[in-house]
Amino acid sequence: MARPRSSRGPDDVVSAPASAPQVAPRGSLLLGLWTLARPRQWLKNALVLAAPGAAGVLTDPGVLALTAVGFACFCLAASGTYYLNDAFDAHADRLHPRKRHRPVAAGTVPVTLAKVLGGGLVVGSVVAAGTVANAELAAVLSGYVVLMGAYSGWLKQVPVVELAVVASGFIFRAIAGGVATDVPLSRWFVIVVSFASLFVVVGKRFAEQATLGDGSEQHRSSLGEYSPAFLQLVGAISAAVAIIAYCLWALTRAGGGMLWYELSIAPFVLGMLHYALQAEKGRAGAPEEVFLKDRTLQVLGLLWAVLFAAGVYGP
């Protein structure tokens, strides 16, 4: 049974146990700050490579440099939003069996420090994007930060809308790669990224329900609004749209005697189905962990990347 909701406010730091020191050692604080930045989540920022990669211009040194700038700026912005989100969500995270160990919820990093550093990272990312790359990338980053702030403030409590907002974080990353390098975005590219992202988010929510059980609504009120059947329906629809759109995109790009784009459809579909299986088993609560540890998904992803790259950069 879930523990009663704490009466603490979001700015309060959880009290340490009587046997633990009240102030974390400096090493623990630094480790907590690094953990709070979620470096494993930077894997998501690889989507910045998607648009210039699909356009076949990543071999240009100038484009590659601008893509790297976009990737770095999104790492800063994403980590800043994680700092802020954990600072405001500390009271709710203490009710979660896994999230209660996060540095802010556990008391390793003070809430005020997390807010100050988070704000600094967010502002720094936007300034760096506008200075080193262009105003368009700065605008995309600003939109991402504002939307994630609204999500932390209230949108995460709105059923269905919160699914779209989380999925939009992936879409912003994909768009950032295009605007940073002046690569036009294909409508098929945007559709595939949008619905594949929604598919991943729905799998995450399904796993959260399986992990939290009756306590899911206490952690996030919107979770209590979703039935397993509803999440399965949304997951099936988003997967179907993503797969159909990818097939149409691959077929419209196909040409010549080689079938690289057509062949890339197989690992793409199999990857979606394998991820759906992991979500069904409740293993997709942390999508980045699935991509980092699941060997089958990694092999399918590598095979897809090789086939698609052969279509883009091959003869």
Side-chain angles (χ1 to χ4, degrees):
M1 182 176 295
R3 294 179 298 175
R5 183 182 294 274
S6 171
S7 60
R8 296 177 181 275
D11 293 342
D12 294 324
V13 177
V14 65
S15 299
S19 58
Q22 295 298 315
V23 179
R26 180 177 178 81
S28 298
L29 176 60
L30 292 176
L31 179 60
L33 291 172
W34 173 251
T35 303
L36 197 60
R38 313 257 221 291
R40 287 194 174 189
Q41 298 281 354
W42 295 345
L43 177 65
K44 299 175 184 176
N45 300 328
L47 273 171
V48 173
L49 302 170
V57 295
L58 270 182
T59 53
D60 183 288
V63 171
L64 187 60
L66 287 173
T67 304
V69 170
F71 176 84
C73 288
F74 247 101
C75 288
L76 292 176
S79 292
T81 58
Y82 292 139
Y83 271 57
L84 295 172
N85 187 65
D86 281 15
F88 287 107
D89 277 1
H91 64 300
D93 287 347
R94 294 174 194 132
L95 302 174
H96 193 283
R98 179 172 52 85
K99 294 181 180 181
R100 63 190 176 90
H101 298 296
R102 288 178 174 177
V104 178
T108 306
V109 176
V111 173
T112 302
L113 179 61
K115 288 181 178 180
V116 171
L117 292 179
L121 288 172
V122 165
V123 173
S125 69
V126 175
V127 172
T131 303
V132 182
N134 52 47
E136 288 79 7
L137 179 58
V140 171
L141 274 166
S142 298
Y144 168 81
V145 169
V146 170
L147 188 60
M148 292 303 107
Y151 172 81
S152 297
W154 76 90
L155 290 180
K156 65 183 175 183
Q157 308 298 344
V158 183
V160 180
V161 172
E162 62 95 14
L163 296 176
V165 172
V166 177
S168 71
F170 295 93
I171 301 168
F172 271 104
R173 290 170 169 87
I175 292 174
V179 300
T181 57
D182 292 325
V183 171
L185 298 175
S186 160
R187 67 186 66 181
W188 294 117
F189 172 81
V190 174
I191 293 172
V192 171
V193 171
S194 300
F195 283 91
S197 300
L198 181 59
F199 173 73
V200 170
V201 174
V202 170
K204 177 180 173 65
R205 292 292 178 262
F206 194 91
E208 286 176 340
Q209 280 194 341
T211 301
L212 296 172
D214 294 338
S216 61
E217 190 171 359
Q218 288 188 348
H219 173 68
R220 192 190 307 274
S221 62
S222 59
L223 277 176
E225 299 292 328
Y226 302 139
S227 67
F230 173 78
L231 291 177
Q232 288 174 336
L233 174 63
V234 177
I237 292 174
S238 57
V241 174
I243 290 172
I244 292 171
Y246 182 81
C247 291
L248 293 172
W249 185 31
L251 292 174
T252 56
R253 293 178 64 107
M258 304 306 293
L259 302 176
W260 299 123
Y261 289 116
E262 293 92 328
L263 290 173
S264 73
I265 294 173
F268 180 85
V269 174
L270 290 175
M272 296 280 287
L273 294 177
H274 183 75
Y275 189 88
L277 178 62
Q278 303 312 303
E280 178 72 20
K281 294 180 177 180
R283 298 174 182 171
E288 69 282 357
E289 294 293 331
V290 179
F291 289 105
L292 288 172
K293 295 180 179 180
D294 191 296
R295 294 292 178 264
T296 301
L297 196 60
Q298 290 171 356
V299 170
L300 290 171
L302 178 61
L303 179 58
W304 169 83
V306 169
L307 291 172
F308 193 84
V312 174
Y313 297 96

